[in-house]
Structures are given as C-alpha cells and as structure tokens.
Amino acid sequence: MDLSISSPFRGAFPAPTSTFILNPKSRCSHSLNFFKHRNSYSKNPLFSRQKIPIRAQVSDPAVDDGFVIDDVPHLTDFLPDLPSYPNPLQNSQAYAIVKQTFVRPEDVVAQKIVVQKDSSRGEHFRRAGPCEKVYFKSEEVRACIVTCGGLCPGINTVIREIVCGLNYMYGVDDILGIQGGYRGFYSKNTLILTPKVVNDIHKRGGTFLLTSRGGHDTQKIVDNIQDRGINQVYIIGGDGTQRGASRIYEEVEKRGLKVAVAGIPKTIDNDIAVIDKSFGFDTAVEEAQRAINAAHVEVESVENGIGIVKLMGRYSGFIAMFATLASRDVDCCLIPESPFYLEGKGGLFEFIEERLKENGHIVIVVAEGAGQEYLAQSMQGIDEKDASGNRLLLDVGLWLTQNIKDHFTKERKMAINMKYIDPTYMIRAIPSNASDNIYCTLLAQSAVHGAMAGYTGFTVGPVNSRHAYIPISHVTETQNTVKLTDRMWARLLASTNQPSFLNCDESTGGKVCKDTIDLINNMKITSI
Ligand SMILES: Nc1ncnc2c1ncn2[C@@H]1O[C@H](COP(=O)(O)OP(=O)(O)O)[C@@H](O)[C@H]1O
Ligand SMILES: O=P(O)(O)OC[C@H]1O[C@](O)(COP(=O)(O)O)[C@@H](O)[C@@H]1O
Ligand SMILES: [Mg+2]
C-alpha cells in the first residue's frame, strides 16, 4: 500500500514491510497511532501542503508503538497565507560545502533514548537547525531581545550570538535590545544592537541588557511589540520567564500578529524541564569548586574544623550535587529534594562527630533551598516573595552553622572551628567558560533558525545532546529536580558515604523518615 501523509515526520519510521495510504486528516487518530501529536497544528504548511508518499512498517495494525511528536506552533497555524522564501543560507559561504545545510522537516529528537525492544518509543521534538524555507525576508525583520530573572554565566554570549546570527546568516540589521526585563518593553527606551555593539560582551558576566523580576504585563508588552513593529522576539530567561513568553505567544496568536516568539532557557539552578542542562551551569559548578577548596583548606588546617559552603539552588539541588561530585573534598551534600535531620541516630550531628573523629575535619555543601521546612518551623510567620512571586528563602547556611555550633559546644562540650562560606552570587556573576560559550552559540543560532523558519511559541535546547524546538508550554509544565530515585543521587551518596537520612529516629518521631518516603513514593521514577 502507499502511505500518503501530510506530516513532516513521515521519514521517522522503521524500514517498510508494507505500505498503505494514510489520510492526512486522520493522522492523529489512525489506528497505527504513528502521529500522536500533543499539539496538532493542522494548518502548518509542513503538514498540510506536502503530500509525499511514504512507506511504513505495518506488521500489526493494532500495535501502538507509542511514537509521539510534541511539535511547536508555526505562524501559518493562524496566518495560513503567509508566503515563504528560500533560506538565504543556500548561498552562504559558511555552509557552502556542508553536506546537508538544512535539517529535514521529518527529523525529530527522541526524549527517551534508553529503550527496550518492546518499549514505547515515547515523545519526540522537532530537530532544531536551518530550514529550507523561511517566512521572513531579511529586510522585513525587526527583532528584539530581552533578558529576565536572575543572572547566569553566558547570557551575554547568547545576546551576542543572536545578533551576529541574525546579521551574518540572515542579513538582518534591525535588532533592538529591550532593557531591564519584561517591564522594559513598556517603560524603557530600546538599544540598537549590531554585531559591533555586542562584539565584546561575551567576555563579561551579567547581562548587557539588564534584567529584572516581576513587571510582566502581557497586554502592555504585546501592545509595545505591535507599536514598535517588532516581528521576532527572543526571550532569554528561566521558568518564570518562559511562562511569560508563553503568555506573549498566546496573545500574539490571539491578535493574529506575524510575530515569532522564541524562548532561550536560562537558569543557574538547572531547574528547567526537558532540556539536558541549562547554559552557565557548568561554569557555576566550576566556580563553586573554588569555594569548596577554600573551605577544605581552612578546615584541614585546624582542629575539629567544620566547613559549610552554601550554594544556589532554590528548589533543585543540581549545583550542590554536581559541585560535590566534582570536588571529592565534600563529606556531606544537603539539597532541597532530600529531607535531612540533625539529632539522633543517622542524623547530621552524629555524622559530623564521626567524621571529626576519623579525619579531624568535615566539609558540608548545602543548597540554599535545603531544609527550608525546618527553618520555617523555627522562624514562624516569615513568608516573603520576590517581585516575580518566588518565595524568598531563609538562610539555611546561618541556621545550620548556629545549630551545629550549639550542639557541639553546649551539648557535646567539644571545641570546634566553624568556617562558613557563602559564595552565592559569585558563582553566577561571572562570564561563561569555553564549553558554555559554545553551548550558548548553538542555542542562539538554533533560536534564530527557528524564528526565521516561522516557528513560534518554542523554547530551544538540547535533548539528549541534540538541539530541539520544544513547545514553551511543555518546559513550564514541570520543574527539573534531583530525583532521589535516580542513580545520580546514589552515586553521590556512594561517593561521600554520607547518611541518606532515611533511618527513622525516635527524636524526630519518625516524621522526617515518613516525609522522605512519601516524597520518594510520589516521585516519577526515572534513571540516568
Ligand atoms: N506565570 C507567569 N506569567 C507571566 N510572567 C511570569 C510568570 N512567572 C514569572 N513571570 C515573569 O518572568 C520574569 C522572570 O521570572 P523569575 O521567576 O524572576 O525568573 P526566571 O525566569 O529566571 O525563573 C519576571 O519578569 C516575571 O514577572
Ligand atoms: O537574584 P535574586 O533575586 O537575589 O535571586 C536569587 C535566586 O536566583 C536564583 O539564582 C535562580 O534564579 P532564576 O529563577 O532567575 O533562574 C536562585 O538560585 C536564587 O535563589
Ligand atoms: Mg526561576
């Protein structure tokens, strides 16, 4: 049988044994379930304009191999008559001898790469990269870039590479910088960005465009986009920012504007779902080593030295976990995802005393979001939020330092030497390292290719090392956290040999242990 479908993903199937005609309109409900799009963009030209016969394996029509494509929106979903143009990269010197300049429309990136013979193939995303057709003429583009939320190493590299990518690859020379985050759309003047203006900014930490929390007013932002004649919006920011980007995309679609909205995920905490890792994370982990080294040098030079290093990580303990794994000088790592307790058997005090007896010193790394529930108990009524609505954290480093001091000096009558290091902002206020710089370049170029090709409402990022376009709504659905049930956390426990805090103790009334077990039971079990 001939299989004729309108999807760009028609090539993503196994070798044929037989073929058949597949009605384009029925692709989502076809019994073979090849196309289980989470988002069905029936007006997407790539879906509806091409009808190319393909061949697919039909060994058993009842088989559902669980192949799902989570595609991103396209401008033609709500502007069906938009003209397209050949991609100018066709004549680019840079791509002149590249074997395959353009990504194939049917190329997808699998979210699940460890599979078993009979397991479902799972979710897939559109592969990022230059497309054969673009939906903007170079001279028609008026792009803008905005950065929101906290700092992260590499933001300036992303800004630089968006500007250079647009200009060098697509001949775009009308690029605006929105200053000071979302509120800058309606309260500040814009900057004119050219390759010359941004030439050196990647060597600096921070953001050349300034940033802020709060101030997201969708109507005012989209009014401003419309008034200024902006038709490509590049939004660099974390989970909050991506939620804001999603609102902007929805409003743009509602108003029927030809405006591509591209999100570039930024977060030092590595808490953005789906993507492998956020840019600047490696740089931050590397910088954290300096603080850990300092703590180690200090405490091994004195008697009963206890070093505490507090690292960023609001809800996700990735920086603390990776800095610990990288360092080997850390005795214990405390993260928000893993409840711990101080007193009694299997508790932190007992472990500290053991290590002091064994080695004469101990280094503890604590993520800023760890133990917040205990701090909240001891400082009742404090529940402040920042301008974006993020809960302001209580200082777990100071709390831990005080509790450990009290325990050893007052209760155990032991002399200790406490060194508390809080490098919080130091690890994110630096320029990105070499590998993050390369990563930022890929993100920026992929975002530019995606917007030029007319995709919108997307976030770009690596999924199993391949850059993909992910619907913004997908990355904001959940938050990436350290899974205690994954092997990575077990690797850390095996490396530090610290307590898992799963042993119940009388003094906690078994509560902490129960909390932990409930937490783990509620977790989706994944393995890395
Ligand atoms: N749910 C939301 N809807 C719209 N805008 C949001 C939302 N959450 C956060 N924002 C906006 O995104 C920006 C950055 O958010 P924030 O949480 O501070 O940092 P990050 O994006 O790094 O997580 C702020 O301007 C904030 O107003
Ligand atoms: O910059 P602020 O407002 O002091 O916020 C600090 C917080 O920002 C973070 O770096 C995360 O920021 P984002 O949510 O912007 O990625 C946290 O690690 C930290 O708790
Ligand atoms: Mg955030």
Side-chain angles (χ1 to χ4, degrees):
M1 289 179 278
D2 282 336
L3 175 63
S4 181
I5 62 162
S6 62
S7 168
F9 297 110
R10 60 200 161 267
F13 302 118
T17 51
S18 62
T19 53
F20 60 95
I21 302 279
L22 175 64
N23 178 353
K25 286 197 178 138
S26 68
R27 69 174 183 275
C28 295
S29 57
H30 192 272
S31 63
L32 284 171
N33 261 332
F34 284 145
F35 297 99
K36 291 208 303 188
H37 295 254
R38 281 167 58 106
N39 303 320
S40 176
Y41 298 106
S42 55
K43 289 183 211 140
N44 185 330
L46 292 166
F47 288 141
S48 57
R49 289 185 192 160
Q50 304 171 23
K51 261 195 172 187
I52 300 171
I54 65 152
R55 295 158 70 80
Q57 184 164 1
V58 211
S59 45
D60 176 358
V63 169
D64 175 359
D65 68 358
F67 185 93
V68 178
I69 296 160
D70 195 359
D71 200 13
V72 291
H74 192 272
L75 288 172
T76 51
D77 296 337
F78 56 96
L79 298 168
D81 300 323
L82 274 189
S84 64
Y85 314 95
N87 191 321
L89 280 179
Q90 244 164 223
N91 309 316
S92 151
Q93 224 186 320
Y95 281 81
I97 56 160
V98 172
K99 227 172 169 181
Q100 195 196 321
T101 301
F102 303 115
V103 293
R104 278 180 292 249
E106 67 268 26
D107 283 352
V108 287
V109 177
Q111 186 168 23
K112 197 163 98 178
I113 48 165
V114 179
V115 288
Q116 295 77 45
K117 196 164 155 262
D118 301 320
S119 67
S120 135
R121 295 181 65 185
E123 204 128 352
H124 295 71
F125 301 106
R126 185 180 286 276
R127 186 180 181 189
C131 298
E132 206 160 359
K133 280 183 190 166
V134 292
Y135 283 79
F136 291 93
K137 284 189 192 156
S138 308
E139 61 276 18
E140 166 203 348
V141 175
R142 170 165 265 215
C144 77
I145 309 173
V146 64
T147 58
C148 312
L151 292 183
C152 176
I155 298 178
N156 281 336
T157 313
V158 177
I159 298 171
R160 183 190 191 279
E161 296 307 319
I162 292 173
V163 174
C164 294
L166 276 168
N167 189 268
Y168 299 158
M169 295 190 294
Y170 289 100
V172 172
D173 54 16
D174 192 358
I175 309 164
L176 303 173
I178 306 294
Q179 298 190 75
Y182 278 134
R183 58 165 58 91
F185 272 103
Y186 53 85
S187 66
K188 291 234 166 80
N189 289 328
T190 53
L191 286 177
I192 292 173
L193 302 176
T194 62
K196 203 167 171 196
V197 169
V198 297
N199 187 43
D200 277 337
I201 64 172
H202 62 295
K203 295 174 186 164
R204 292 178 238 159
T207 162
F208 178 68
L209 294 175
L210 313 181
T211 185
S212 68
R213 297 199 188 270
H216 181 99
D217 183 325
T218 314
Q219 296 303 321
K220 281 198 203 168
I221 293 169
V222 180
D223 285 351
N224 194 272
I225 289 171
Q226 215 171 343
D227 292 348
R228 288 185 200 271
I230 292 166
N231 49 22
Q232 289 186 6
V233 185
Y234 295 91
I235 303 176
I236 307 169
D239 54 342
T241 307
Q242 301 303 319
R243 272 182 215 110
S246 193
R247 299 265 155 82
I248 295 173
Y249 152 68
E250 283 158 16
E251 184 58 26
V252 160
E253 183 182 23
K254 202 166 123 197
R255 296 190 193 185
L257 305 176
K258 185 188 174 184
V259 176
V261 179
I264 296 102
K266 166 247 47 133
T267 165
I268 197 75
D269 292 351
N270 197 33
D271 57 6
I272 296 187
V274 187
I275 62 168
D276 294 344
K277 185 167 60 175
S278 48
F279 72 80
F281 176 75
D282 278 352
T283 306
V285 168
E286 220 167 272
E287 188 65 11
Q289 301 299 292
R290 291 173 10 109
I292 295 171
N293 281 344
H296 188 238
V297 167
E298 287 286 341
V299 297
E300 70 170 357
S301 307
V302 292
E303 229 174 280
N304 285 344
I306 302 177
I308 296 182
V309 179
K310 187 179 80 170
L311 296 174
M312 279 194 169
R314 224 198 280 268
Y315 306 111
S316 307
F318 287 105
I319 299 178
M321 176 167 85
F322 279 78
T324 298
L325 274 167
S327 152
R328 314 280 157 174
D329 284 336
V330 179
D331 295 276
C332 185
C333 173
L334 303 172
I335 58 170
E337 297 88 336
S338 173
F340 63 93
Y341 56 95
L342 302 177
E343 316 254 357
K345 195 156 171 39
L348 187 63
F349 291 156
E350 183 191 73
F351 177 68
I352 295 175
E353 197 165 332
E354 273 170 22
R355 285 280 157 113
L356 290 180
K357 277 192 192 130
E358 241 173 75
N359 303 332
H361 64 270
I362 180 168
V363 174
I364 300 167
V365 162
V366 59
E368 61 180 343
Q372 289 295 313
E373 58 281 18
Y374 315 128
L375 273 87
Q377 280 163 18
S378 54
M379 304 176 194
Q380 279 164 7
I382 304 173
D383 190 18
E384 288 179 68
K385 298 214 161 113
D386 70 14
S388 294
N390 301 303
R391 188 159 56 93
L392 286 178
L393 300 175
L394 301 163
D395 194 330
V396 65
L398 288 176
W399 176 84
L400 205 55
T401 307
Q402 198 53 51
N403 275 278
I404 294 171
K405 264 190 197 160
D406 288 349
H407 174 79
F408 283 100
T409 52
K410 292 182 190 159
E411 287 177 36
R412 303 292 296 154
K413 309 281 181 232
M414 276 171 70
I416 56 157
N417 259 299
M418 176 68 77
K419 308 286 177 202
Y420 174 43
I421 300 183
D422 179 356
T424 315
Y425 292 102
M426 290 174 64
I427 66 166
R428 69 174 206 187
I430 50 173
S432 45
N433 67 13
S435 73
D436 272 325
N437 260 333
I438 296 168
Y439 177 14
C440 290
T441 306
L442 260 72
L443 284 171
Q445 292 198 0
S446 296
V448 166
H449 293 312
M452 288 300 298
Y455 294 113
T456 182
F458 70 85
T459 297
V460 65
V463 178
N464 296 315
S465 306
R466 292 293 175 149
H467 280 244
Y469 298 132
I470 308 153
I472 298 183
S473 52
H474 194 117
V475 294
T476 55
E477 266 166 20
T478 51
Q479 205 167 31
N480 191 26
T481 53
V482 173
K483 307 284 180 296
L484 302 186
T485 46
D486 277 358
R487 280 192 208 103
M488 206 60 186
W489 184 243
R491 285 179 191 120
L492 179 136
L493 296 179
S495 157
T496 58
N497 208 16
Q498 70 186 65
S500 65
F501 301 106
L502 288 174
N503 300 327
C504 294
D505 183 79
E506 295 297 307
S507 64
T508 66
K511 188 183 173 308
V512 173
C513 181
K514 189 183 170 306
D515 286 352
T516 314
I517 290 166
D518 285 350
L519 190 107
I520 293 169
N521 284 341
N522 289 333
M523 274 176 185
K524 203 175 115 205
I525 300 194
T526 54
S527 269
I528 52 170

